[in-house]
Amino acid sequence: MDESFVNAKAILTTLHNNGYEAYFVGGSVRDYLLNRSIGDIDIATSALPKQIIDLFPKTIDVGAVHGTVIVLHEGEQFEVTTFRTEEGYEDYRRPSHVEFVTSLHEDLKRRDFTMNAIAMTINGDIIDPFDGRKAIEKKVIQTVGNPTERFREDALRMMRAVRFLSQLSFLLCEKTQSAIMENAYLLNKISVERITIEFEKLLSGPSCQAAFPILIETKLYQYIPGLENEIKGLENFPTYKWNQLQDRAEYWTLVCYLLSKEDIKSFLRQWKLPNKVVEQVVQNIACIQNVIQSGWNNRLLYDCGANCVQQVERILCVLGFKQEISPYEEYEKLPIKHRSDLDISGEDLLNWFNQKPGKWVSDLYNKVEDGILENEVENNKGKIKEWLLSCNQK
């Protein structure tokens, strides 16, 4: 068994010693069978939420009414959930009724895909009532039971299916894909925030180029923010190697660029993205347009800053623009990188020119920056003063 499960074994042991069943479940078991890096480790148990809370000294009640308690153990958090069944999905997302049960089989039966409906004992034995292991071996994504029922219970599962295709390099089984096509409209019932999370995971997956055509074939794109009329742009997405990008702002920059979005802020705000990401994308797009039009220069490198230069360098590479010299390496050679690097202050300028504060101070700052960046003057207070005064007399 993977070392990632070692700390969590203590939780299973405590539950077992007190007469309860407990198993590792979900994504951690799937990723263990795939030899992938294991993230969050979830545990399913026959113990009720109150019993879980009473058994462990450090817990967080994040949803005991629905059976979930976070147990803190040796600096790690583990989600421990009581076996349960769900019914009455009135909003196509959350069950209106949860019933705690004592059957692991019933608990696994409520899950989305067979590859996620596998449990593992403390000793590493696999419990797989829905042939999830076979689906993993065949690299197929298929629902537990009737796909239409699963998607009508939780419409976000349709986005999750395509996201898993991107992340795991799996294929959708025929019945699952057909059911997504029939029920794609239900994605309208899902919050934008949830769709955004799944879409970003899709963009960052190693097989995202294979996921885009599925978004189109299943018609899911018609119910994703800002993409409903973008079929031509989306058809072009698989042309590019998205996995060369690193930051979420880079992914969104490429999305906006390929869709030729003019009002970038309005488009990105449909996705409820943080202002910091929106502003970075706007800066990236402006920088890309400048580079394509006029190429890199010291002033552009300086104005963009290290983070933007690195992001744009990667994006331009994905777009196929040849860059014989690394812009970031050129940025590193700049004599100044921030206004705070200047060997002068606003007070110096006021004293030298004996004028009241005004826009002229900012204009002179820009002039000094340009002079230093173009090697016309050294970043030295005395030399800057001499240079400015001589420029002023011309």
Side-chain angles (χ1 to χ4, degrees), residues 221-393:
Y221 79 96
Q222 294 182 357
Y223 309 98
I224 295 176
L227 298 186
E228 57 274 12
N229 299 313
E230 297 291 355
I231 186 167
K232 288 186 178 179
L234 285 170
E235 286 175 340
N236 198 31
F237 276 25
T239 308
Y240 300 93
K241 296 179 180 178
W242 293 73
N243 55 16
Q244 292 183 10
L245 303 178
Q246 297 179 15
D247 184 271
R248 68 189 298 202
E250 295 173 34
Y251 293 108
W252 287 110
T253 300
L254 188 55
V255 168
C256 290
Y257 183 84
L258 294 178
L259 296 180
S260 301
K261 289 296 179 183
E262 293 183 4
D263 192 346
I264 295 167
K265 289 187 177 181
S266 294
F267 172 70
L268 295 179
R269 282 173 182 154
Q270 289 184 70
W271 297 82
K272 303 293 180 71
L273 295 177
N275 286 335
K276 184 178 179 181
V277 174
V278 174
E279 294 302 327
Q280 184 65 60
V281 173
V282 169
Q283 185 186 19
N284 286 350
I285 291 287
C287 182
I288 288 170
Q289 291 171 341
N290 279 322
V291 172
I292 292 174
Q293 183 176 351
S294 308
W296 288 102
N297 58 62
N298 284 356
R299 183 73 210 201
L300 182 58
L301 291 167
Y302 176 79
D303 287 340
C304 287
N307 186 47
C308 178
V309 171
Q310 287 178 304
Q311 292 199 15
V312 169
E313 182 176 2
R314 285 190 288 267
I315 296 163
L316 287 173
C317 183
V318 171
L319 289 171
F321 288 91
K322 292 183 179 180
Q323 302 172 88
E324 295 179 4
I325 302 174
S326 165
Y328 184 68
E329 289 180 11
E330 292 301 298
Y331 171 82
E332 285 291 290
K333 296 175 185 176
L334 294 178
I336 54 171
K337 297 182 177 66
H338 308 279
R339 180 161 287 185
S340 58
D341 294 337
L342 293 177
D343 197 29
I344 61 168
S345 66
E347 187 177 349
D348 290 326
L349 296 175
L350 293 172
N351 290 334
W352 296 343
F353 290 91
N354 195 26
Q355 294 184 39
K356 292 181 180 180
K359 184 178 178 296
W360 67 272
V361 175
S362 177
D363 290 342
L364 276 188
Y365 261 126
N366 284 325
K367 187 179 184 70
V368 171
E369 288 169 335
D370 283 339
I372 294 171
L373 291 168
E374 297 306 319
N375 297 314
E376 294 178 14
V377 63
E378 187 180 328
N379 186 24
N380 172 277
K381 183 183 290 190
K383 292 184 178 181
I384 291 171
K385 179 181 179 181
E386 181 182 343
W387 181 74
L388 278 177
L389 292 174
S390 66
C391 288
N392 198 45
Q393 290 173 356

Side-chain angles (χ1 to χ4, degrees), residues 21 23 60 80 109 125 162 173 196 235 261 297-298 307 361 365 392:
E21 291 182 50
Y23 306 90
I60 303 172
V80 183
K109 187 178 177 181
D125 297 324
V162 186
C173 79
T196 298
E235 286 175 340
K261 289 296 179 183
N297 58 62
N298 284 356
N307 186 47
V361 175
Y365 261 126
N392 198 45

Side-chain angles (χ1 to χ4, degrees), residues 84-301:
R84 69 190 190 197
T85 58
E86 302 170 343
E87 58 184 39
Y89 295 79
E90 296 174 356
D91 61 357
Y92 298 97
R93 174 70 184 124
R94 290 182 175 83
S96 58
H97 178 69
V98 171
E99 183 175 338
F100 299 138
V101 296
T102 57
S103 166
L104 171 65
H105 184 278
E106 287 299 309
D107 182 81
L108 295 176
K109 187 178 177 181
R110 70 177 173 82
R111 296 174 184 267
D112 52 7
F113 306 109
T114 58
M115 64 183 181
N116 296 331
I118 306 172
M120 185 169 67
T121 70
I122 194 170
N123 297 319
D125 297 324
I126 298 298
I127 301 170
D128 182 19
F130 304 105
D131 290 330
R133 197 167 192 171
K134 187 180 293 184
I136 288 173
E137 290 169 357
K138 291 183 176 180
K139 296 188 174 183
V140 169
I141 299 166
Q142 62 185 65
T143 60
V144 176
N146 187 311
T148 294
E149 289 180 10
R150 296 292 83 78
F151 297 144
R152 286 183 169 273
E153 290 168 352
D154 181 355
L156 187 64
R157 287 171 172 168
M158 295 184 287
M159 278 297 293
R160 281 169 56 81
V162 186
R163 182 257 286 186
F164 281 129
L165 183 155
S166 173
Q167 287 186 319
L168 304 178
S169 302
F170 280 21
L171 297 175
L172 298 181
C173 79
E174 188 176 339
K175 286 184 178 179
T176 298
Q177 183 160 333
S178 295
I180 293 176
M181 292 178 67
E182 292 170 11
N183 296 282
Y185 70 95
L186 293 177
L187 203 59
N188 272 332
K189 307 288 185 178
I190 302 301
S191 72
V192 170
E193 291 88 347
R194 292 285 184 176
I195 293 173
T196 298
I197 289 170
E198 296 300 327
F199 188 68
E200 287 189 333
K201 290 179 178 178
L202 181 158
L203 292 177
S204 62
S207 292
C208 70
Q209 289 158 289
F212 297 128
I214 300 300
L215 286 179
I216 295 172
E217 289 173 29
T218 58
K219 310 297 183 186
L220 276 176
Y221 79 96
Q222 294 182 357
Y223 309 98
I224 295 176
L227 298 186
E228 57 274 12
N229 299 313
E230 297 291 355
I231 186 167
K232 288 186 178 179
L234 285 170
E235 286 175 340
N236 198 31
F237 276 25
T239 308
Y240 300 93
K241 296 179 180 178
W242 293 73
N243 55 16
Q244 292 183 10
L245 303 178
Q246 297 179 15
D247 184 271
R248 68 189 298 202
E250 295 173 34
Y251 293 108
W252 287 110
T253 300
L254 188 55
V255 168
C256 290
Y257 183 84
L258 294 178
L259 296 180
S260 301
K261 289 296 179 183
E262 293 183 4
D263 192 346
I264 295 167
K265 289 187 177 181
S266 294
F267 172 70
L268 295 179
R269 282 173 182 154
Q270 289 184 70
W271 297 82
K272 303 293 180 71
L273 295 177
N275 286 335
K276 184 178 179 181
V277 174
V278 174
E279 294 302 327
Q280 184 65 60
V281 173
V282 169
Q283 185 186 19
N284 286 350
I285 291 287
C287 182
I288 288 170
Q289 291 171 341
N290 279 322
V291 172
I292 292 174
Q293 183 176 351
S294 308
W296 288 102
N297 58 62
N298 284 356
R299 183 73 210 201
L300 182 58
L301 291 167

